[in-house]
């Protein structure tokens, strides 16, 4: 079956530091890959996505590249802000172009200190 | 346009009682998904519903759990005779339709069984 393995948290960084949150997956075929973010007290929000190999998703300074050869979709940001403090979830869907029936990683708590 | 609304946000039930969780999808969305997040784990798909139909309930426990999405009103996730192992965060997501659309998540209902 499908599975997503995420870097364990919590992760604590200083403002303007470089962020990497690792994500690897196991799936048959060619899944779509997603990063969701959950700010305190809110629901999950789609941060970025990629639907085929070598695609790069980007949003709000965050980036992730779909690497089929390493089955990875690592999240990166060059300079984090305090407002980026949240829980980040990597996810996949094996239905092309769709966000239905997502398989999630366990989430990574990020805290950014001023 | 209000987002996906879930209520209650927090629910405490004694063992053996019933829990009813409600989800109002975004306006115009006819597809609803329920996910469960156990402590220290990622979200796990439970059930996918369209209006008046259960499309996929492959993630639902075989007993005590049921879900509906009536023609009028919110989607309901019902857990009968709750046990301590049902304690979790339950998230609802809605989607406009099939294909390349984004799923929007609610804030979740945190169920605690005492």
């Amino acid at each position: 079956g499908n599975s997503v393995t995420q870097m364990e948290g919590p992760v604590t960084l200083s403002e303007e530091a470089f962020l990497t949150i690792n994500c690897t997956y196991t799936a048959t075929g060619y899944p779509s890959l997603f990063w969701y973010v959950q700010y305190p007290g809110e629901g999950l929000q789609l941060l970025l996505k990629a639907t085929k190999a070598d695609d790069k998703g980007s949003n709000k300074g965050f980036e992730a590249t779909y690497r089929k050869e390493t089955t990875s979709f690592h999240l990166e940001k060059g300079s984090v802000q305090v407002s980026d403090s949240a829980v980040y979830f990597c996810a996949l869907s094996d239905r092309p172009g769709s966000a239905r029936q997502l398989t999630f990683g366990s989430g990574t708590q990020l805290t950014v200190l001023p | 346009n209000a987002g996906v609304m879930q209520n209650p946000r927090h629910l405490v039930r004694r063992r053996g009682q019933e829990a009813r969780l409600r989800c109002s999808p975004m306006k115009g969305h006819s597809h609803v998904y329920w996910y469960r997040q156990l402590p220290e784990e990622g979200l796990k798909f439970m059930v996918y519903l369209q209006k008046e139909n259960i499309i996929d309930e492959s993630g639902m426990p075989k007993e005590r759990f049921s879900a509906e999405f009536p023609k009028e009103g919110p989607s309901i996730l019902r857990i009968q005779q709750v046990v301590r192992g049902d304690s979790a965060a339950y998230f609802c997501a809605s989607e406009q339709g099939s294909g390349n659309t984004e799923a929007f998540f609610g804030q979740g209902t945190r169920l605690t069984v005492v």
Side-chain angles (χ1 to χ4, degrees):
Chain A
N2 297 337
S3 67
V4 175
T5 302
Q6 251 184 269
M7 170 181 173
E8 289 190 14
V11 173
T12 303
L13 296 172
S14 297
E15 206 165 22
E16 299 183 2
F18 183 85
L19 169 72
T20 300
I21 301 179
N22 290 339
C23 171
T24 57
Y25 67 89
T26 302
T28 55
Y30 301 92
S32 295
L33 302 174
F34 305 83
W35 276 100
Y36 281 82
V37 58
Q38 184 179 26
Y39 298 105
E42 299 184 14
L44 278 74
Q45 302 174 23
L46 179 63
L47 180 61
L48 53 84
K49 69 177 183 182
T51 57
K52 62 183 187 294
D54 300 325
D55 266 3
K56 177 185 283 188
S58 61
N59 185 25
K60 299 181 182 179
F62 291 88
E63 293 183 341
T65 301
Y66 189 142
R67 301 282 188 204
K68 186 164 175 59
E69 64 276 14
T70 54
T71 61
S72 65
F73 193 54
H74 304 321
L75 182 69
E76 296 182 338
K77 186 174 184 181
S79 175
V80 293
Q81 306 299 314
V82 173
S83 57
D84 294 327
S85 297
V87 181
Y88 292 81
F89 293 92
C90 185
L92 71 81
S93 171
D94 57 10
R95 295 170 189 267
S98 173
R100 60 185 52 188
Q101 294 177 353
L102 294 155
T103 299
F104 283 88
S106 56
T108 301
Q109 171 79 55
L110 170 67
T111 301
V112 180
L113 303 176
Chain B
N1 187 7
V4 178
M5 303 300 293
Q6 288 188 250
N7 66 83
R9 292 289 308 279
H10 300 276
L11 181 62
V12 179
R13 284 287 177 267
R14 296 188 186 279
R15 281 178 295 170
Q17 290 185 320
E18 178 181 285
R20 291 170 69 88
L21 287 63
R22 288 176 290 276
C23 168
S24 296
M26 287 182 68
K27 187 176 180 181
H29 286 194
S30 58
H31 298 240
V32 166
Y33 306 84
W34 285 94
Y35 288 82
R36 176 168 65 174
Q37 184 182 28
L38 294 169
E40 309 301 324
E41 294 186 17
L43 284 74
K44 297 282 196 288
F45 167 77
M46 298 181 75
V47 62
Y48 162 37
L49 310 106
Q50 295 180 20
K51 286 284 187 181
E52 299 184 279
N53 286 303
I54 297 174
I55 307 303
D56 183 346
E57 56 182 348
S58 58
M60 288 276 271
K62 292 292 186 285
E63 298 178 348
R64 301 188 295 108
F65 284 72
S66 62
E68 63 177 9
F69 188 17
K71 187 176 180 181
E72 302 290 338
S75 175
I76 305 289
L77 179 67
R78 182 180 177 211
I79 311 172
Q80 295 178 291
Q81 299 174 329
V82 295
V83 301
R84 287 227 171 100
D86 296 332
S87 296
Y90 292 83
F91 289 90
C92 168
S94 74
E95 207 171 46
Q96 186 173 33
S98 59
N100 190 15
T101 62
E102 177 183 344
F104 292 83
F105 282 80
Q107 294 174 303
T109 294
R110 188 162 299 279
L111 172 66
T112 302
V113 179
V114 297

